[in-house]
Amino acid sequence: MHVKAKIIAFGGLLLALTVLFMMLGGIIETNTLFLLAAASYFAGIMIRETGLRMGAAFYLAGVLLGFFLVPNKFYVLSYAAMGFYIVAVEFIWRKMGNLPARYRKKQVFWVMKYLIFNLIYLPALLFFQELLFSRKLSAPLLIGAFLAGQIGLLIYDKAYEYVQGHIWTRMRGRFLN
């Protein structure tokens, strides 16, 4: 019983930080993407600590609380997209553990990551250009934005792996003991 209460309290703390980071994205405009990415990483931490179900519930709670509490709804939508990517990648990673060893897991995993990202990014890029860039983009700029998004995904994903592998690994003992 004590362990569940500790995990729920930990989830509440991470949820508060998630909403706080979304709010701070509107206050500290120069670090908006960094703060939204950090907020979405909390969903991944929750998934790895408590499982996919609890992590998905945490992600949904973050989106709902964000819509109620965060003044800039665009930041909540950005968090929702980033968090969905994290939840989907963690889901695929867990499902790939069931695949036979003869498959090249690393290459298949990266293909799945890019597929998930582009399922989120391409509709936003094509149909919401005025919202993202405040104007319609010409074809060369649209291609540039597409390529920049692919590079951005690589940076975002490597940062997520670093946070999970190095930063959270060192900090987790202080929070969950």
Side-chain angles (χ1 to χ4, degrees):
M1 185 74 161
H2 173 68
V3 174
K4 286 211 180 232
K6 185 183 256 187
I7 291 295
I8 290 172
F10 174 70
L13 175 66
L14 285 185
L15 193 56
L17 287 173
T18 299
V19 173
L20 178 67
F21 279 27
M22 280 190 273
M23 285 182 173
L24 284 176
I27 296 169
I28 308 170
E29 293 286 334
T30 56
N31 289 333
T32 299
L33 279 177
F34 170 80
L35 291 166
L36 293 175
S40 68
Y41 293 169
F42 292 136
I45 290 171
M46 198 65 180
I47 289 170
R48 291 198 183 179
E49 293 300 327
T50 62
L52 199 56
R53 268 191 170 171
M54 192 83 148
F58 173 87
Y59 161 72
L60 290 174
V63 172
L64 289 173
L65 271 176
F67 274 116
F68 288 125
L69 299 175
V70 177
N72 192 336
K73 302 308 181 217
F74 182 70
Y75 293 160
V76 179
L77 288 174
S78 299
Y79 163 77
M82 291 176 173
F84 179 78
Y85 172 79
I86 295 289
V87 171
V89 164
E90 290 291 336
F91 173 78
I92 288 171
W93 178 252
R94 290 169 188 264
K95 290 298 178 188
M96 286 185 67
N98 298 331
L99 291 175
R102 67 179 178 263
Y103 293 110
R104 293 185 188 178
K105 291 183 180 182
K106 193 172 187 177
Q107 290 82 4
V108 172
F109 188 50
W110 269 101
V111 167
M112 296 301 290
K113 283 181 179 185
Y114 272 96
L115 182 66
I116 291 166
F117 171 75
N118 285 309
L119 285 174
I120 298 167
Y121 184 61
L122 287 179
L125 186 63
L126 294 175
F127 300 119
F128 301 107
Q129 290 178 28
E130 285 100 10
L131 184 63
L132 294 173
F133 304 106
S134 72
R135 65 183 174 104
K136 276 270 203 211
L137 297 179
S138 63
L141 287 177
L142 195 59
I143 292 170
F146 172 76
L147 293 174
Q150 306 311 304
I151 294 167
L153 170 66
L154 185 64
I155 294 167
Y156 176 75
D157 197 71
K158 289 295 182 186
Y160 175 66
E161 290 175 9
Y162 181 79
V163 165
Q164 286 287 3
H166 292 79
I167 296 172
W168 178 244
T169 303
R170 279 191 249 141
M171 292 177 65
R172 97 182 278 273
R174 294 179 187 147
F175 289 101
L176 295 175
N177 277 337

